[in-house]
Amino acid sequence: METVVSGIRSTGNLHLGNYYGAIQNFVKMQNEYNCFFFIADLHSLTTHPTPADLHGNVKQVLVEYLAAGLDPEKVTLYIQSDVPETTELYLYLNMNAYVGELERSTSFKDKIRAQPDNVNAGLLTYPVLMAADIILHRATKVPVGKDQEQHLEMSRTFANRFNRLYNHDYFPEPYAFNFSENLVKIPGLDGKGKMGKSEGEGNAVYLSDSPEAIRKKVMRAVTDSGPTADNQEKPQEIQNLFDLIKVVSSADTYEHFDNLYNTCNIRYGDLKKQLAEDIIIATAPIRDRIKDISTDSAYLRQVARHGAIKARESASKTIKDVREIIGFRSF
Ligand code: TRP
């Protein structure tokens, strides 16, 4: 069975876009591959979180992924900092990652623009840590978005370079991989592009939002002044709302509002009310599980321990081989 690895950013609540995109992708993979999913808390140190924030963020992400359907009996779900083999491999890989190539990475350039007062070496070597995460389990498949393509290319470079340096065909090449070709794209509520937390307040509906908050956000979604001719093409902000309805509502509901739009009888207030209620229904089980799991410390502790043990089993095998290959041998 092929091995899949993916890192989950440890900051930010999950929104509908994450849920219908990346998470459903993970949930489908858990039945077909040997999956390692981890919360990337070491990576988050590049932004200097406080200890309380760091812990709170990791907990929230863990709770929400469990609530959204990741099954810790099927996948190895762990917290990156619980697996010290990660940092050991990171150190070895750093010895053959060149400063010039790291400085040229677009994500490094973006990050130094975003935090000019904190250009630490961890930012520079972020792609090396990511490569270590992946090749630690000798994974070949990495479910990530387009924005991570360059990082994956660097992972392949570091894996190949290690193999060449020690003349040992040890690490396979990891490639980006998504379960289905066309992941569902969830538009935001601002009338523009996709749902995202960086697109401003009110654009994203979070899985942890209360029904009241969901109603408020949806009622404020951007619309136009309405169609003026039958069967008119929908402008983007209206198409976005219909796209959301397609995902969370029944086919009948979609058709109902589509007909109203096409005959110029639509009232956006009604459509939004229905959309809000259907989002609330679609996310209710997850919202309930978030509440239950977040107060169940015993369960969270057990999940984290179980994940760390399974991850370290795989990681320590690799590290043992790598030490031998590098030449750290016992007398
Ligand atoms: N860089 C990834 C992101 O920003 C997170 C990540 C860290 C990751 N390590 C990884 C993803 C290893 C895949 C594999 O989303």
Side-chain angles (χ1 to χ4, degrees), residues 227 230 257 259-268 270:
D230 285 1
F257 286 107
N259 285 337
L260 289 176
Y261 185 87
N262 286 332
T263 53
C264 297
N265 289 314
I266 191 134
R267 295 201 335 220
Y268 291 137
D270 294 345

Side-chain angles (χ1 to χ4, degrees), residues 98-328:
Y98 295 104
V99 172
E101 67 190 333
L102 296 171
E103 280 172 340
R104 281 194 297 277
S105 118
T106 42
S107 73
F108 178 64
K109 289 184 199 156
D110 289 346
K111 281 171 188 161
I112 62 179
R113 231 173 282 126
Q115 52 182 76
D117 299 327
N118 182 15
V119 184
N120 58 68
L123 277 186
L124 185 67
T125 57
Y126 183 110
V128 186
L129 181 54
M130 180 159 160
D133 294 327
I134 298 167
I135 69 178
L136 185 60
H137 304 294
R138 303 175 73 191
T140 49
K141 290 183 150 50
V142 186
V144 284
K146 283 240 167 349
D147 63 323
Q148 298 296 314
E149 202 35 83
Q150 193 178 35
H151 283 154
L152 269 190
E153 197 181 318
M154 293 170 93
S155 296
R156 290 192 286 276
T157 301
F158 302 143
N160 285 328
R161 201 176 281 159
F162 180 95
N163 292 349
R164 239 181 295 115
L165 183 62
Y166 296 108
N167 196 17
H168 214 294
D169 194 12
Y170 187 67
F171 289 118
E173 287 188 322
Y175 283 92
F177 164 71
N178 287 302
F179 202 83
S180 55
E181 277 303 300
N182 29 353
L183 290 182
V184 189
K185 282 198 194 76
I186 302 292
L189 298 175
D190 62 0
K192 296 182 199 133
K194 62 177 187 185
M195 187 171 284
K197 72 174 161 119
S198 49
E199 328 298 328
E201 250 320 282
N203 174 54
V205 174
Y206 295 101
L207 296 181
S208 57
D209 279 346
S210 65
E212 235 355 274
I214 294 174
R215 286 189 192 103
K216 249 192 213 143
K217 282 181 185 174
V218 173
M219 293 317 284
R220 286 192 195 136
V222 176
T223 49
D224 66 354
S225 50
T228 49
D230 285 1
N231 301 315
Q232 202 176 303
E233 199 187 322
K234 300 182 182 84
Q236 182 169 15
E237 62 270 29
I238 304 304
Q239 186 59 49
N240 285 355
L241 297 180
F242 276 90
D243 286 349
L244 285 166
I245 288 183
K246 195 158 243 166
V247 174
V248 297
S249 307
S250 69
D252 286 351
T253 302
Y254 183 90
E255 224 168 277
H256 170 71
F257 286 107
D258 196 43
N259 285 337
L260 289 176
Y261 185 87
N262 286 332
T263 53
C264 297
N265 289 314
I266 191 134
R267 295 201 335 220
Y268 291 137
D270 294 345
L271 176 147
K272 287 174 172 182
K273 259 188 213 142
Q274 181 73 42
L275 174 58
E277 294 316 307
D278 289 342
I279 291 177
I280 290 166
I281 293 169
T283 51
I286 304 174
R287 206 163 27 253
D288 292 347
R289 279 201 296 270
I290 290 176
K291 266 200 213 115
D292 291 345
I293 298 172
S294 62
T295 52
D296 194 347
S297 325
Y299 177 64
L300 288 173
R301 194 176 315 120
Q302 186 232 317
V303 167
R305 280 197 190 150
H306 179 63
I309 289 170
K310 281 205 284 180
R312 293 195 70 185
E313 245 169 53
S314 147
S316 58
K317 259 190 224 135
T318 304
I319 289 295
K320 185 168 171 285
D321 293 341
V322 164
R323 286 176 147 263
E324 179 72 26
I325 291 168
I326 291 178
F328 296 125

Side-chain angles (χ1 to χ4, degrees), residues 21-37:
I23 298 172
Q24 302 262 308
N25 195 29
F26 282 8
V27 169
K28 282 185 218 144
M29 279 180 199
Q30 64 186 1
N31 299 315
E32 316 249 339
Y33 297 96
N34 180 27
C35 295
F36 292 85
F37 298 130

